Amino acid sequence: MGVSQLLVLVLRVAGTRIEGPAVGPFWAGRRLAVDVSGWLHKAKLRDAAEVVSTGVSDKAVSYMIQMVEGLLGLGATPVLVFDGASYPPKQATQDSRREKVEENRRAAEAAAADGTASGRALNGLFAKAALVQEPLLRAVMNWAIEREVEFVVAPMEADQQLVSVLDYARVDSILAASQDSDLAAYGGTSVAYDYSEKDGSCMHVCLLEDVLGKVVGEFDFTQWTYDRFLTMCIWSGMDYYKLKNHGLKTVYKEMAKAIGLKDQGLALGDMPHPPLADRPGAWLSEAAVRLYSGPMISKLGAEGDAEFKKVWRAFRAVRYAPVFTFNPATGDKPFAFKDFRACPPTPLESRGDRDAAWSTVNGVDEAYVAGLDEDWNNLLEWDENRSTSLACGLLTPAKLLEPSRVRKIGKNIVAPG
């Protein structure tokens, strides 16, 4: 979904348009972590009735191949990043979406059965009912293995895994295959938006160089840290939190009032912004987030403190989302299946303090953390028994080619196949 208006009002204004003669040099030799979810959601619309019926269609797979081959033709090296299991703090949003899709499926099948819709109208009904399912994922991943295109399956949300891959896997940029602006909110420091498969053009945004510390259109971010920026995005509305009648402009104008206030020794005005992994821990403390949020809390009056608690939970949900860290193979393909290894999933920016950190994230409790650890142990045991390497902890080439062997691994993680 993304942060409402962030892409239009901030990212497209701040970014650099890559087009014409600049296209070739930009893509050539660039390693890209590709957010394939956007492409998959477009692919499922190709012969949507067949996708609803069987989970896959030839046209859907051909579309995915076409998109990836386009990047290869530009000289880029794509690393496809797939969503994994559902992330508990986002479960309510995902459940609501699935309920709506299920209603659409029943309506489409009823219309097809009684003949009340046909042609384009019927296709439109099935398009609303189509889901990205295991057969489509399996087909795309099998093709990627045959084509020797690297891919990663995130333990849960792909967005945070994409950002993590920038740090750990020698990836130069993220390619946002949709209009989802969450990647910037999550700390994607080099993201290509608005990619056109026709001519290779895109909008390239570098968060630390183009946004933070700069004036961007109507927004003055000259004394904004990344964590203040993330707080603004959350108050403006993300999948983890929504507040009615408070869009990006309204929230920015309120939060800007906190600039220059006593910062409790946080040194929030220091610029240029350091790398996200090296910024002071105090910047992302509850005290700091409350300071950033002060004008919003005051504006909401009696409801302010209660809403801030929700924002703080959302802030931690972003920071502590589980991601795979890597000990990748040496050479040109860190995610080569023959010698790939993934470390256990750890919360983003919480190395070694997972249990304590997750205890305050909405939707995550001790039983959930124990379940994730159990899943990881099951995956390791399964891998050893199969005598094959892990493909980001969830999938192996052999697993993909033998879909009946394991349908569900552990309690929380469902692997395609």
Side-chain angles (χ1 to χ4, degrees), residues 17-324:
R17 184 70 187 168
I18 307 298
E19 56 189 355
V23 167
F26 177 80
W27 295 113
R30 187 176 292 263
R31 279 182 59 78
L32 292 167
V34 181
D35 175 17
V36 295
S37 61
W39 288 350
L40 285 166
H41 285 287
K42 292 179 181 178
K44 73 183 183 183
L45 304 180
R46 270 63 179 176
D47 199 353
E50 182 68 16
V51 172
V52 170
S53 174
T54 67
V56 67
S57 71
D58 290 343
K59 291 181 179 179
V61 177
S62 295
Y63 175 80
M64 293 299 299
I65 293 174
Q66 172 189 335
M67 298 304 292
V68 179
E69 289 286 5
L71 291 175
L72 293 169
L74 290 169
T77 301
V79 177
L80 311 182
V81 181
F82 293 84
D83 283 313
S86 297
Y87 186 30
K90 197 175 176 180
Q91 192 65 50
T93 299
Q94 293 171 329
D95 288 346
S96 176
R97 291 173 184 170
R98 285 190 172 273
E99 288 176 6
K100 185 63 176 177
V101 169
E102 180 61 22
E103 291 177 8
N104 293 333
R105 182 190 64 79
R106 291 194 295 266
E109 291 178 346
D114 61 24
T116 56
S118 61
R120 181 174 297 180
L122 185 60
N123 288 337
L125 290 175
F126 275 112
K128 294 179 181 179
L131 282 171
V132 176
Q133 301 177 71
E134 292 179 7
L136 175 56
L137 293 168
R138 186 165 62 246
V140 174
M141 292 175 187
N142 272 322
W143 172 82
I145 292 168
E146 295 174 1
R147 188 66 170 82
E148 297 187 348
V149 171
E150 303 165 72
F151 69 85
V152 173
V153 180
M156 292 183 184
E157 291 282 289
D159 289 340
Q160 287 94 333
Q161 186 68 69
L162 286 155
V163 172
S164 180
V165 164
L166 274 177
D167 296 329
Y168 292 102
R170 303 199 303 274
V171 168
D172 301 309
S173 301
I174 298 170
L175 175 59
S178 68
Q179 302 304 309
D180 193 336
S181 56
D182 280 344
L183 289 167
Y186 293 157
T189 52
S190 175
V191 183
Y193 294 97
D194 299 336
Y195 168 71
S196 170
E197 66 271 24
K198 295 180 180 179
D199 58 13
S201 61
C202 70
M203 177 66 70
H204 184 219
V205 182
C206 296
L207 181 65
L208 300 186
E209 291 83 2
D210 298 335
V211 179
L212 300 181
K214 301 292 191 297
V215 176
V216 182
E218 303 175 46
F219 299 81
D220 184 350
F221 294 121
T222 52
Q223 295 186 56
W224 286 59
T225 65
Y226 161 68
D227 302 284
R228 190 189 296 269
F229 179 81
L230 171 58
T231 304
M232 177 192 71
C233 292
I234 293 171
W235 277 107
S236 301
M238 299 175 66
D239 286 338
Y240 303 126
Y241 174 77
K242 285 181 173 60
L243 180 65
K244 291 184 178 180
N245 303 319
H246 286 77
L248 187 66
K249 285 186 178 182
T250 299
V251 172
Y252 164 78
K253 289 177 181 178
E254 290 298 321
M255 288 186 58
K257 296 175 184 178
I259 299 294
L261 297 180
K262 185 177 180 181
D263 65 9
Q264 304 176 34
L266 301 176
L268 299 180
D270 288 353
M271 290 295 168
H273 200 293
L276 297 187
D278 297 331
R279 68 195 192 280
W283 287 12
L284 42 89
S285 65
E286 182 175 1
V289 176
R290 181 175 283 276
L291 178 68
Y292 312 145
S293 303
M296 284 296 299
I297 297 172
S298 298
K299 181 177 185 292
L300 294 174
E303 301 297 324
D305 281 335
E307 292 300 325
F308 173 73
K309 289 179 181 178
K310 297 176 185 177
V311 167
W312 174 238
R313 288 186 185 130
F315 187 92
R316 294 179 73 80
V318 171
R319 286 182 51 221
Y320 296 121
V323 294
F324 284 117

